[in-house]
Amino acid sequence: MKVFPEGFLWGGATAANQCEGAYDLGGRGLSSVDTVPYGPERMAVSRGEKKMLSCEPGYIYPAHEAIDMYHHYKEDIRLFHEMGFKCYRLSIAWTRILPDGDDETPNEQGLAFYEDLFRECRKYGIEPLVTIDHFDTPIALIKKYGGWRDRRMIDAYVHYCRIIFTRYRDLVKYWLTFNEINMLLHMSYMGAGIVFEEGEDREQVKYRAAHHELLASAKAVTLAHELMPGSQIGCMLAAGQFYPYTCNPEDIWDGLEKDRDNYFFIDVQARGAYPVWAKKRMERSGVDIGLTSEDEQVLRSGAVDFIAFSYYCSRCTTADPEVFKAHARPGNAVFRAVVNPYLKSTEWGWQIDPLGLRVTINTLYDRYQKPLFIVENGLGANDVLEEDGTVHDPYRINYLRAHIEAMRDAVVLDGIPLIGFTAWGCIDLVSASSGEMKKRYGMIYVDKNDDGSGSLKRYKKDSFYWYKKVIASNGADLDE
Ligand code: BGP
């Protein structure tokens, strides 16, 4: 059965800070994620509520070694090829290229590292999909400017883009400007290098930073088209529709407003202008982003070519504070939401909703009419490595199968143009929200533990063989 279009980009996704390690090798400078510790303070640092701009004694910083892909990338890409990957999404660590974020001359060792990595992909016919900034702000720029709160970040970012576009124009066609750009509202240090100061208006700081990232993104799109004709450059949303908890119109409105918090970013990146409601909303809450007519021109000419997104789960919301209190998602969740009683949850409390993926795909296409790309989806679970080196992960296969089926329905039944699907953390890596290794997403197991111990040896899980079959059949064979 022919289901997915010819050339559909099947593959996997990672991010530099979650897998490379070698944080102080090859001339690399310190980056925001390098100072986000494992343990109870991680969320406060990620949100910009606790200042930690250097590595302090007594803490574990998972990004420092991660799974040491810096030294294992040839082996890892070979394994991706064995699975049949057509595409590999990765991010460039800004400070490998520019250790201080805005150095005049780039670091040749960093440039050479990615050049070799891209060549390795090309050798196997794997299309690289590159995230320019995946939770990655150079510490030197955080110290100099206070992160993306400052407009001068835009020039630093464009300078970085010019360097990588020029160097990799013959090796990379697909680019993403910022990973999960809407995350800066929730994890402001991770998403924008922001540490809040005592008593400052946080909404004002966040939306200014958002405006600066949106301008930087638009400029990157324009520059990419100029320097790399034929390149495709996209935005990237942490997606997942908000469902109203009941059909009470108050809940419907609440859902619409919460969705707008996220679409706010993509509306600008896809259409090249702020929507009317966004301007009014900022005006009502006294937020001034410093929008000029020149900015409007920049945004207009820098609309993206495609919409990429991550999807793990849908979200559920209520306008009633009592209902919220009674049903709030447990733990330190990134998105505030209530538990959807119709859905099961993962070990980490993320609700499993494959049909929600079809809902999300359709909503995004209705809204933007641009090709879509699912660049993250997967299940974080506590896998067991057996004595004989096998890992049995039927739960991951079930999760992925159900989501690929929903994606197939969106493509085949609804006719939505989808460029590809890259499963998140195709090889085990550090969890962004929790810093854990034991929250594993991979089809390849890496022997590395939360306390930093482990041989770093790679093992194929059952899902490895299953995904290989899925890709070989272009999505027609989803059976185990
Ligand atoms: C997204 C990020 C990724 C990744 C993923 C899974 O928010 O883009 O970096 O980590 O979520 O989340 P986690 O690692 O917190 O389980």
Side-chain angles (χ1 to χ4, degrees):
M1 187 181 35
K2 204 171 152 207
V3 286
F4 288 93
E6 229 22 72
F8 188 77
L9 292 176
W10 294 99
T14 63
N17 75 82
Q18 291 170 262
C19 67
E20 272 179 21
Y23 83 111
D24 57 353
L25 296 183
R28 183 183 179 282
L30 205 61
S31 175
S32 51
V33 272
D34 300 332
T35 68
V36 183
Y38 170 71
E41 284 153 272
R42 185 174 180 88
M43 206 34 112
V45 175
S46 301
R47 289 190 193 279
E49 286 158 1
K50 182 181 165 60
K51 187 171 186 167
M52 202 180 265
L53 296 186
S54 57
C55 306
E56 294 171 17
Y59 286 93
I60 295 176
Y61 294 100
H64 290 195
E65 186 187 53
I67 57 160
D68 194 29
M69 201 189 252
Y70 188 74
H71 294 110
H72 290 74
Y73 68 95
K74 292 204 171 160
E75 176 188 351
D76 295 340
I77 293 171
R78 196 178 340 111
L79 286 166
F80 298 159
H81 167 63
E82 198 184 320
M83 261 190 282
F85 279 20
K86 312 278 180 239
C87 177
Y88 171 41
R89 173 180 176 228
L90 69 147
S91 73
I92 293 181
W94 186 334
T95 56
R96 262 195 213 293
I97 309 299
L98 298 163
D100 280 334
D102 59 355
D103 317 57
E104 221 173 289
T105 322
N107 170 33
E108 179 52 36
Q109 278 187 80
L111 283 171
F113 168 70
Y114 291 108
E115 182 175 333
D116 197 53
L117 195 154
F118 297 143
R119 288 197 189 285
E120 201 62 21
C121 290
R122 289 272 170 223
K123 183 170 109 188
Y124 295 116
I126 298 174
E127 185 80 48
L129 163 62
V130 174
T131 317
I132 297 167
D133 183 336
H134 191 130
F135 298 158
D136 190 6
T137 313
I139 288 275
L141 296 182
I142 298 178
K143 290 186 174 156
K144 200 159 155 189
Y145 299 140
W148 282 93
R149 68 173 70 225
D150 193 303
R151 201 175 248 269
R152 284 171 293 183
M153 283 297 292
I154 301 169
D155 287 343
Y157 179 89
V158 173
H159 171 59
Y160 161 51
C161 286
R162 183 178 293 279
I163 291 165
I164 56 176
F165 291 167
T166 308
R167 178 73 170 234
Y168 305 128
R169 70 178 131 207
D170 298 326
L171 292 167
V172 180
K173 175 180 172 193
Y174 291 96
W175 300 83
L176 301 174
T177 55
F178 288 91
N179 178 61
E180 294 188 335
I181 189 163
N182 50 322
M183 204 57 102
L184 84 78
L185 297 180
H186 311 279
M187 305 223 282
S188 305
Y189 181 70
M190 279 272 203
I194 287 169
V195 183
F196 294 107
E197 285 153 23
E198 191 75 27
E200 74 179 335
D201 179 345
R202 292 189 177 190
E203 290 305 290
Q204 169 70 36
V205 172
K206 288 196 266 191
Y207 280 96
R208 251 204 197 226
H211 182 50
H212 299 152
E213 287 197 1
L214 291 167
L215 285 169
S217 172
K219 287 191 172 195
V221 172
T222 306
L223 189 66
H225 290 156
E226 189 185 306
L227 296 178
M228 305 179 288
S231 61
Q232 289 284 303
I233 181 154
C235 54
M236 200 300 205
L237 168 77
Q241 192 89 0
F242 269 101
Y243 298 160
Y245 191 71
T246 71
C247 52
N248 181 335
E250 299 285 339
D251 281 356
I252 309 289
W253 181 254
D254 195 62
L256 182 139
E257 283 278 63
K258 295 248 165 63
D259 276 336
R260 278 180 165 176
D261 289 344
N262 299 310
Y263 293 137
F264 170 85
F265 296 84
I266 309 304
D267 285 353
V268 180
Q269 290 176 297
R271 299 171 178 154
Y274 282 97
V276 273
W277 58 263
K279 286 185 171 174
K280 281 286 170 199
R281 199 197 226 191
M282 290 189 284
E283 200 180 294
R284 276 202 315 271
S285 48
V287 167
D288 173 14
I289 55 168
L291 178 71
T292 65
S293 52
E294 200 188 311
D295 289 353
E296 289 186 310
Q297 184 49 44
V298 168
L299 295 176
R300 231 186 334 269
S301 42
V304 291
D305 300 314
F306 65 94
I307 316 287
F309 63 96
S310 61
Y311 176 85
Y312 294 91
C313 46
S314 54
R315 300 148 192 157
C316 192
T317 187
T318 169
D320 183 335
E322 289 307 313
V323 178
F324 190 89
K325 231 169 56 203
H327 301 284
R329 265 188 63 180
N332 206 352
V334 174
F335 288 91
R336 293 185 75 241
V338 289
V339 173
N340 183 333
Y342 298 98
L343 302 175
K344 294 205 173 87
S345 297
T346 72
E347 290 169 83
W348 271 264
W350 293 24
Q351 294 206 280
I352 302 175
D353 179 15
L355 185 54
L357 176 59
R358 187 173 173 191
V359 171
T360 300
I361 294 173
N362 275 275
T363 307
L364 285 171
Y365 193 68
D366 282 351
R367 205 168 171 115
Y368 304 118
Q369 282 102 47
K370 295 207 179 201
L372 304 177
F373 203 150
I374 302 174
V375 297
E376 284 187 32
N377 174 246
L379 175 73
N382 204 343
D383 298 325
V384 178
L385 176 66
E386 306 289 347
E387 300 251 309
D388 62 357
T390 56
V391 178
H392 306 301
D393 57 347
Y395 37 87
R396 180 167 298 106
I397 294 174
N398 290 338
Y399 178 99
L400 287 169
R401 181 194 297 114
H403 285 78
I404 291 173
E405 276 167 359
M407 164 171 91
R408 184 185 61 197
D409 290 346
V411 171
V412 178
L413 303 180
D414 305 327
I416 311 287
L418 200 62
I419 303 171
F421 174 87
T422 56
W424 173 251
C426 44
I427 180 165
D428 290 349
L429 40 64
V430 175
S431 154
S433 57
S434 73
E436 291 162 316
M437 268 309 301
K438 72 166 182 279
K439 189 181 185 189
R440 297 172 182 277
Y441 284 87
M443 291 126 181
I444 299 164
Y445 184 96
V446 180
D447 178 23
K448 174 83 194 272
N449 305 307
D450 289 348
D451 62 4
S453 64
S455 66
L456 296 171
K457 219 178 140 207
R458 275 71 168 146
Y459 299 86
K460 297 170 197 169
K461 302 183 193 176
D462 288 353
S463 53
F464 181 101
Y465 302 100
W466 173 80
Y467 196 43
K468 184 180 164 129
K469 251 179 15 140
V470 171
I471 299 177
S473 65
N474 197 17
D477 180 3
L478 301 177
D479 294 338
E480 242 168 292

